[in-house]
Amino acid sequence: MTFGKHSPDSKSKIITGSPRSEFWTGVRDELPLQLGVVPFGLIFGMLGISSGLTPLQTILMSSILFGGASQIVFAQLWANGAPPFFVGASVSVINLRHVLYSASVAPYLRQLPLRWRIALAYLLTDEAYAVSIKHFLERPTNPFKHFYLLGAGMALWVFWQISTIIGVFASATIPEELSLGFAIPLTFIAIVTPTIRTRPDLLACVTSGGLALAGQSLPWNSGILIAAIGGVLAGWLLHHFKRL
Amino acid sequence: MIWAIIIITGLFTFVMRFVMLSGIAPRKLPTIFEDARSFVPIAVLTAILVPAVLTGKENNIMLLDNAQLPAAFVAVVVALISRSIVITIIIGLGALWLLKFMGFP
């Protein structure tokens, strides 16, 4: 399956598209990703406590911020005694990428009532976005497709909160040797790899990876943002010049 | 103080997620942006995953003596063949454990 192209073997084709079926298809498609999310939540819960956050601060951060990578960075910087402004700026820079997600789903959700747009915006994480944009591109005319994002987002939210809470209270019992944090890059590898179909796709991926590596030592994890924008730009340029 | 940072960054993150759905932002993005949209998932997720695979505990880049790198290559191949998130995570984590068990740092 890929972003932007139809895939004839898509499982979702058998769903006719009522609100309920869209919601539960979203939940179902989000479930496999929890194999990466749950270890990440456990790691965050453990890291929060070892960084000197209280259990309440750690647990509520998972629902207030609701962004795994940025929460990890928050805890790490806090543990290192970084100044509050620096912590806030880093988290914000990492989460700037959500503007891109917001823009990407906007054509499909723009016409919804405000309360829907607020709820779906809150639930618009990496993993919920990844499954939803695929679904939207495959079924752009489905009138209930926003229920799919609601289902995927709520499933992720529940697993993220529960795994954070378990991480907080079981922090002493989960051995570091399991390297459970590695499940997160593995999830992203599993999402990205099959979507690379064209040369512009490949160039976007290689450019982004190269820039992220080169920018590793930049302050405020700004390398991530630069790499993302650079990757999009490189893919778009190649796509554009092929068309000319 | 820490509560203030959590709430402010939380609000900021919500605004980032909401801004293009708000109705305040332009309804129709420029064509340039519409074309670029399909590369967003690839570029953003790659930008997060590459440092996660390659950086060690002290935030330094580790190309050698890093069991995560060969495990990530295994995961890429498995993802290409299986196209399954679950299988990729299971075999990728399994590869990492095996490499570490065999003495990879």
Side-chain angles (χ1 to χ4, degrees):
Chain A
M1 276 192 245
T2 180
F3 302 103
K5 296 177 194 72
H6 279 277
S7 88
D9 60 335
S10 169
K11 282 177 291 183
S12 55
K13 287 288 187 291
I14 53 169
I15 307 294
T16 50
S18 68
R20 183 178 294 185
S21 73
E22 283 292 291
F23 179 87
W24 287 108
T25 308
V27 171
R28 189 196 65 192
D29 289 353
E30 189 66 23
L31 284 183
L33 277 73
Q34 304 316 307
L35 202 60
V37 169
V38 168
F40 203 60
L42 293 175
I43 301 283
F44 171 70
M46 294 159 64
L47 189 66
I49 299 305
S50 66
S51 303
L53 303 176
T54 66
L56 190 68
Q57 285 162 349
T58 307
I59 290 164
L60 285 186
M61 198 194 290
S62 274
S63 49
I64 297 173
L65 250 178
F66 194 32
S70 64
Q71 289 175 228
I72 295 277
V73 170
F74 191 121
Q76 281 169 342
L77 289 175
W78 190 258
N80 295 339
F85 169 77
F86 187 88
V87 178
S90 304
V91 168
S92 301
V93 167
I94 290 168
N95 285 340
L96 269 179
R97 72 180 184 284
H98 291 105
V99 179
L100 302 177
Y101 295 166
S102 183
S104 176
V105 295
Y108 306 99
L109 307 175
R110 206 172 259 151
Q111 75 293 350
L112 292 171
L114 184 64
R115 63 178 192 282
W116 264 99
R117 284 179 282 137
I118 288 174
L120 293 182
Y122 171 70
L123 294 171
L124 196 60
T125 54
D126 287 309
E127 289 85 354
Y129 169 79
V131 296
S132 296
I133 192 64
K134 204 151 72 176
H135 189 75
F136 291 172
L137 285 163
E138 280 167 4
R139 309 163 63 81
T141 55
N142 186 320
F144 305 116
K145 58 188 176 301
H146 49 288
F147 281 91
Y148 181 96
L149 174 54
L150 185 70
M154 283 178 71
L156 178 65
W157 191 91
V158 168
F159 275 94
W160 183 242
Q161 307 310 324
I162 292 174
S163 57
T164 301
I165 292 168
I166 294 174
V168 163
F169 292 109
S171 52
T173 62
I174 302 168
E176 199 185 320
E177 292 77 44
L178 284 180
S179 309
L180 287 181
F182 191 52
I184 268 293
L186 286 175
T187 307
F188 291 167
I189 287 173
I191 296 172
V192 168
T193 310
T195 67
I196 297 171
R197 288 273 180 88
T198 66
R199 279 185 199 178
D201 291 344
L202 186 63
L203 186 68
C205 178
V206 171
T207 306
S208 170
L211 286 174
L213 203 53
Q216 178 58 29
S217 54
L218 291 174
W220 300 354
N221 283 53
S222 48
I224 289 177
L225 189 72
I226 292 167
I229 293 171
V232 171
L233 207 62
W236 177 81
L237 281 173
L238 188 59
H239 169 79
H240 189 69
F241 280 113
K242 273 206 310 197
R243 246 188 353 197
L244 284 178
Chain B
M1 178 50 101
I2 187 162
W3 282 112
I5 313 171
I6 293 173
I7 290 166
I8 289 168
T9 52
L11 276 174
F12 180 86
T13 303
F14 172 77
V15 169
M16 292 301 104
R17 288 168 172 159
F18 182 65
V19 62
M20 298 310 293
L21 304 173
S22 65
I24 300 166
R27 279 186 68 83
K28 179 77 183 149
L29 288 165
T31 324
I32 290 176
F33 209 91
E34 293 288 328
D35 284 346
R37 228 177 43 199
S38 55
F39 307 113
V40 168
I42 292 171
V44 172
L45 297 180
T46 305
I48 298 170
L49 83 87
V50 166
V53 169
L54 291 178
T55 48
K57 281 215 172 80
E58 280 82 41
N59 212 30
N60 53 334
I61 295 168
M62 291 168 54
L63 291 173
L64 303 169
D65 294 339
N66 179 0
Q68 294 195 149
L69 186 56
F73 273 115
V74 170
V76 169
V77 175
V78 172
L80 279 174
I81 297 168
S82 72
R83 304 192 163 246
S84 155
I85 292 170
V86 180
I87 294 172
T88 305
I89 292 174
I90 291 172
I91 296 185
L93 262 184
L96 182 68
W97 291 339
L98 187 66
L99 285 162
K100 291 201 164 176
F101 179 73
M102 293 184 337
F104 241 90

